[in-house]
Amino acid sequence: MLSKYYPLAAIAIIAIVTCMLRFVPFLLFIGRKTPKAIEYLGRVLPGAIMTMLVVYCLRSTDICGTGHGIAELVSCVIIVVLQKWRKNTLLSIVTGTVCYMLLIRII
Amino acid sequence: MRCNLIRWNKVKEAIMKTIKKAFVASLPVMAGYLVLSTGFGMLLASKGYGVFTSLAMSVFIYAGSMQFVAVDLIANSASLIAVALTTVMVNARHLFYGISMIDKYKNVGKGKPYMIFALTDETYSLVCADNDMNSREYSNYCLYVSVFNHLYWITGSVLGVLIGMILPFDVTGIDFALTALFLTVATKQWTETKDHMPAIIGAVSSLLCLFIFGKDNFLIPTMIIMIIALYVLRLIRGDKDA
């Protein structure tokens, strides 16, 4: 039988570990000049991380399953085209999400 | 006296301008966060937890995907060690956000600890890009964006529990808002830069690792390969602007 404090303890641990992960890079280089190699990473990582996050979000897409990932593909194409065309972040996100939610109910 | 008043008005005007700028920039995150955190709250309510748990998680953990995983862990009474290890796996990417923000957040003032704590995927996507703000304006902008996003997240997660307790309804697919946000930012970055290699390296290494390691374990190998590839790129290019 788990203690009634178990959820709280779990939440506290998750909060502390997450916070540590967020603070470590900043604490490592406190008070000294950031090395050139790390500066370089800081410049190129944003671009690389963003495409990684897209893949991360789509990781559960089941190409062999019922929908064949068509809903994901169509919605993503719509988002990219819309963003290139109108350059309105909010519009791209809302349209893409609504489109996805409709498609998974139709297909 | 009058001079001070004029100066104060000028400062106030500048602050309001930055708040407005931060708010407008945060609107897509507002949409994504409200939707996602409402979904999170509803999920939590469906497992029998209430507003207090939801609030505690969204205020102190404040990490989107981890909170969804946490609901699962807690509902299944996972051991506290498993909870800690899973957190490291799911949130290790935050190390990389930190690395790329060390210089940008160097002199952001008193709000710095909070801004580091609140550096989520979405906040990162709004503050990481190069911009034409001066350093003071940028510091304030980042702080306001962080606070706005945190508030959206908290609001949604409380709302979600309440909705989930009153009427359960089908929100399947709503988490696609996150995918949409990242894809939009990636598209924007792609359009705004001439150097597409980092984005290509990110995509190729994550797809490669997804294929090799499977969807549950590919994030950490991806980040290792990504960093190696980025350094190889730097070597090939001969360090010219580093």
Side-chain angles (χ1 to χ4, degrees), chain B residues 190-206:
Chain B
W190 183 280
T191 320
E192 284 166 3
T193 176
K194 282 197 191 95
D195 183 10
H196 299 312
M197 274 319 278
I200 293 169
I201 286 173
V204 172
S205 53
S206 45

Side-chain angles (χ1 to χ4, degrees), chain A residues 38-103:
Chain A
I38 298 294
E39 241 173 55
Y40 165 76
L41 265 194
R43 209 169 45 241
V44 290
L45 268 181
I49 286 178
M50 223 36 77
T51 49
M52 181 193 82
L53 282 174
V54 173
V55 175
Y56 177 71
C57 283
L58 294 169
R59 72 191 181 286
S60 299
T61 309
D62 188 1
I63 296 169
C64 307
T66 35
H68 301 284
I70 291 170
E72 281 85 352
L73 184 69
V74 172
S75 313
C76 285
V77 170
I78 287 178
I79 292 167
V80 172
V81 170
L82 211 53
Q83 181 61 27
K84 285 248 170 199
W85 178 39
R86 302 308 302 250
K87 297 192 166 46
N88 182 333
T89 316
L90 194 60
L91 179 76
S92 314
I93 292 171
V94 173
T95 315
T97 309
V98 170
C99 168
Y100 177 76
M101 290 180 74
L102 286 175
L103 282 176

